[in-house]
Amino acid sequence: MEYIYQEGLQTAPPLLLLHGTGGDEHSLIDLASALSPNSTVLSLRGRVSEAGANRFFRRFAEGQFDLVDLEVQTDYLLAFLIEFSDIHNIALYDWVVVGYSNGANIGAHLLLERMESPNRGIFFHGMSLGKHEADFDLAKKSVWFSAGINDPIVPQEATKALVDAFQMRHGQTDVLWTKQGHQLTYEEVASAKEWLATKG
Ligand code: MLT
């Protein structure tokens, strides 16, 4: 996997960055500095290409996800993260998964569907992918979400379904709704930063 690794202070939470469709490992680096400037950062590039646009799992069309590939890529991502965490002496549970859009979608799927996975997530403009199978308790997981009520790509119901999937299994959730669309806004970054400071 292509990635950027920046070692930070052990006193700050390590951040795993997962970009949106068409991004790469550079896309969320500034966001990570804004959220927590002293954190160790691992920023991955999605290894699926959609007509040249990097993604973390395949889709057939917008909103039509390849759920078989989703599982394959989630397993691959987790195996990579476990190995990387071992080498760098970082506890798997300590990572805060920070995802935007497609990155939020695979990140949230990882926390929901793999028992051995990080405990915290910050998911900008994520949505339920409609595949919720695991039933282990999520009481240890703490997740922050943001969504725009005018987002043309992510329907409000799909974000609500994602939040519900965590809440139904006792995950701790915080949600910020903005009046914006699919873009990441300053308001969201400021709110996520505040949340991370209390959870970090
Ligand atoms: C996805 O494909 O995961 C979502 O539709 C969002 C995106 O376009 O990345």
Side-chain angles (χ1 to χ4, degrees):
M1 253 182 146
E2 298 291 327
Y3 64 85
I4 293 172
Y5 180 60
Q6 294 173 351
E7 213 168 311
L9 301 182
Q10 285 193 353
T11 47
L15 306 182
L16 172 69
L17 309 183
L18 305 173
H19 62 78
T21 300
D24 65 17
E25 64 275 29
H26 299 276
S27 303
L28 302 185
I29 294 290
D30 288 348
L31 171 67
S33 315
L35 290 175
S36 178
N38 294 325
S39 282
T40 288
V41 168
L42 172 61
S43 185
L44 304 182
R45 184 194 301 177
R47 61 191 199 124
V48 167
S49 173
E50 183 184 90
N54 299 316
R55 286 179 53 83
F56 286 95
F57 59 91
R58 290 182 53 212
R59 65 180 169 181
F60 305 113
E62 198 169 292
Q64 290 177 35
F65 306 111
D66 182 337
L67 299 177
V68 175
D69 191 55
L70 171 66
E71 298 306 333
V72 171
Q73 301 300 341
T74 304
D75 284 341
Y76 186 92
L77 175 59
L78 180 57
F80 179 88
L81 186 61
I82 289 172
E83 195 183 336
F84 194 93
S85 303
D86 274 355
I87 293 168
H88 293 273
N89 209 15
I90 297 170
L92 179 68
Y93 298 103
D94 278 350
W95 290 102
V96 179
V97 183
V98 179
Y100 169 65
S101 195
N102 179 245
N105 291 347
I106 195 165
H109 191 72
L110 175 67
L111 267 58
L112 280 168
E113 296 292 319
R114 302 293 184 275
M115 192 171 328
E116 196 189 351
S117 63
N119 275 342
R120 288 168 292 176
I122 292 178
F123 298 129
F124 300 99
H125 301 262
M127 64 194 285
S128 167
L129 301 169
K131 189 164 190 263
H132 303 289
E133 289 172 348
D135 61 1
F136 57 88
D137 192 83
L138 296 174
K140 287 200 177 126
K141 310 258 189 216
S142 207
V143 186
W144 181 96
F145 304 87
S146 69
I149 58 170
N150 293 307
D151 191 328
I153 295 173
V154 180
Q156 290 183 40
E157 290 314 314
T159 298
K160 286 181 188 155
L162 180 60
V163 176
D164 283 353
F166 278 93
Q167 287 179 346
M168 279 185 307
R169 287 160 54 200
H170 314 119
Q172 299 164 50
T173 59
D174 285 277
V175 189
L176 174 72
W177 286 96
T178 76
K179 290 185 178 143
Q180 308 301 319
H182 196 58
Q183 74 276 18
L184 201 49
T185 63
Y186 175 77
E187 182 189 1
E188 291 167 76
V189 178
S191 171
K193 181 186 168 99
E194 207 172 294
W195 179 88
L196 186 58
T198 63
K199 301 284 174 181

